[in-house]
Amino acid sequence: MEKIYALIVAAGRGRRFSADIPKQYCSLGGYAVLFHTISAFLNHRAIVGVRVVIHPDDHALYEQAVGSLNVMSPVHGGSTRQESVLRGLQSLEDLNPDGVLIHDAARPFVSEKIISDVIFEVKNARGALPALAVVDTLKRIKDSLCIETVDRSSLWRAQTPQGFPFPEILKCHNELRDQDMTDDAALFEACALPVVQVQGSEENFKITTQEDYQKAQKKMRLNYETRIGSGFDVHRFEKGDHVTLCGVKINHNKGLKGHSDADVAMHALTDALLGSISAGDIGTHFPPSDMRWKGVSSDVFLRKAIELIKEKSGIIVNVDLTIMCEAPKIGPHRVEMVTYLASILGVSTDRISIKATTTEKLGFTGRGEGMAAQAVCSVKLPE
Ligand code: MG
């Protein structure tokens, strides 16, 4: 079984939450709750694609939340959770998925282990859900009066992601439309198909109330440390008709000399990102002696640095670049550069700063012998 997709249900209005915007779009450490949820699945190597089911009114919130994350285009949900899941499943049908993991947008702290454990069961052609044993004593209460103590020994609290072989769960949803069940395992059970339990986690809680949201914010602050990285690079001018800066080709009466495309700005940025996780520099990963990197686009270096940060479940907070030269002029190309970097970094454009300065005709940049670039970045890493 190869093709496992994640379907994230984010169409709810969150009536128990009481805020101006639905909880999945509220900020958690500078990023929307939904951003963290999507990232958990995008960062899992067994997931081939992530689709989010959204409310038709939430397009602007959604676009802002996902930034440049490499997520599939969203689909609209229905009036109930069950209907929303059905629409999401139908939208995936043409892709012939082998399995699907269905997850609540408001559970941003789902671990790699839970996702892996659910996928393991799905690959064995079974439904699976993470669940936790009930530890509190359960009471049946009516009008503030305890009526009885409920035996909790066989009771479990269901979480998501719930995973299923795709054709089966789609069939269940099609057959049991309009039932308004609160989770997908219930439909699988109703069709007499097996659903097994994997170990859930208290960390994988669902943000339902304001109290949960405060707990999530606190957890976010505790769990992440802020790293800073810095990078600096210089390239000499040689004969040529353009330079490449932040991936943008700019006409000039000289070119930059280098083993790759000599994108001095992208090199400084890449070194800053590598520095933030103490992962060496470009030369460590791409030795200049290796002919494979001759003339290569510097995107390759930048993408490698981002991949290493993602492997550590890091989040890029912001980057700030300064390009030093007398010419060419950077200003007219700034927006294009920022947009291009945002698409690679997977962050919104307001987290990327590109500045330029001359050095008042002093030094090698002042004499027009070459260009320099300096970058600083901030990255959040789980402790
Ligand atoms: Mg360089």
Side-chain angles (χ1 to χ4, degrees), residues 84-378:
S84 294
V85 173
L86 173 60
R87 291 192 188 179
L89 292 173
Q90 287 170 336
S91 77
L92 293 172
E93 203 177 353
D94 286 348
L95 300 165
N96 290 318
D98 296 300
V100 64
L101 268 57
I102 303 168
H103 187 67
D104 300 326
R107 292 185 194 269
F109 301 116
V110 57
S111 67
E112 191 185 344
K113 179 170 188 331
I114 289 182
I115 297 173
S116 297
D117 288 351
V118 170
I119 289 175
F120 178 82
E121 297 299 340
V122 172
K123 286 186 173 176
N124 284 325
R126 304 193 284 195
L129 61 78
L132 285 172
V134 175
V135 289
D136 296 322
T137 299
L138 289 179
K139 299 288 185 187
R140 200 176 304 284
I141 294 179
K142 201 178 175 194
D143 300 329
S144 310
L145 209 63
C146 292
I147 297 168
E148 66 167 328
T149 301
V150 180
D151 176 20
R152 68 182 180 202
S153 58
S154 64
L155 293 180
W156 293 75
R157 292 184 284 146
Q159 300 184 325
T160 70
Q162 300 187 349
F164 309 92
F166 186 84
E168 283 87 343
I169 189 66
L170 178 61
K171 190 159 175 279
C172 293
H173 265 275
N174 275 323
E175 279 176 12
L176 298 170
R177 273 173 201 232
D178 309 319
Q179 304 265 323
D180 198 17
M181 294 188 180
T182 54
D183 76 353
D184 304 286
L187 283 94
F188 225 59
E189 295 153 20
C191 292
L193 291 165
V195 182
V196 297
Q197 181 245 341
V198 303
Q199 187 57 45
S201 160
E202 294 291 352
E203 306 258 291
N204 185 28
F205 67 94
K206 185 176 178 180
I207 301 173
T208 307
T209 62
Q210 284 290 333
E211 195 182 344
D212 299 327
Y213 181 48
Q214 280 155 22
K215 184 168 126 188
Q217 285 176 311
K218 195 171 164 193
K219 184 172 155 51
M220 205 71 204
R221 283 194 293 272
L222 289 178
N223 279 3
Y224 284 86
E225 61 179 30
T226 301
R227 297 290 195 93
I228 307 292
S230 86
F232 181 74
D233 196 30
V234 170
H235 280 259
R236 182 188 290 276
F237 277 127
E238 62 177 10
K239 267 195 187 140
D241 58 8
H242 74 277
V243 297
T244 303
L245 295 171
C246 297
V248 176
K249 195 174 153 182
I250 299 170
N251 291 332
H252 191 48
N253 57 8
K254 295 169 194 164
L256 287 171
K257 184 177 161 68
H259 187 63
S260 62
D261 63 2
D263 190 333
V264 64
M266 206 179 271
H267 292 179
L269 175 58
T270 303
D271 274 352
L273 290 167
L274 290 170
S276 74
I277 53 167
S278 312
D281 60 16
I282 294 180
T284 318
H285 301 279
F286 303 93
S289 54
D290 191 330
M291 290 310 285
R292 271 184 300 168
W293 317 123
K294 179 129 184 75
V296 80
S297 160
S298 296
D299 295 21
V300 176
F301 310 149
L302 183 59
R303 287 180 203 278
K304 175 70 181 178
I306 295 163
E307 186 189 312
L308 292 172
I309 289 172
K310 285 201 172 148
E311 271 175 20
K312 291 180 183 288
S313 299
I315 297 172
I316 297 166
V317 178
N318 75 311
V319 302
D320 186 10
L321 250 167
T322 304
I323 299 168
M324 285 160 260
C325 60
E326 299 295 323
K329 283 209 181 315
I330 305 301
H333 308 282
R334 194 193 318 257
V335 172
E336 195 184 344
M337 290 179 181
V338 168
T339 308
Y340 187 64
L341 288 183
S343 73
I344 299 178
L345 295 171
V347 303
S348 53
T349 51
D350 62 349
R351 292 176 186 275
I352 297 174
S353 156
I354 297 177
K355 311 192 294 303
T357 184
T358 69
T359 50
E360 299 287 336
K361 301 220 157 54
L362 296 169
F364 69 88
T365 52
R367 292 187 298 271
E369 294 166 8
M371 289 182 71
Q374 175 176 292
V376 179
C377 69
S378 165

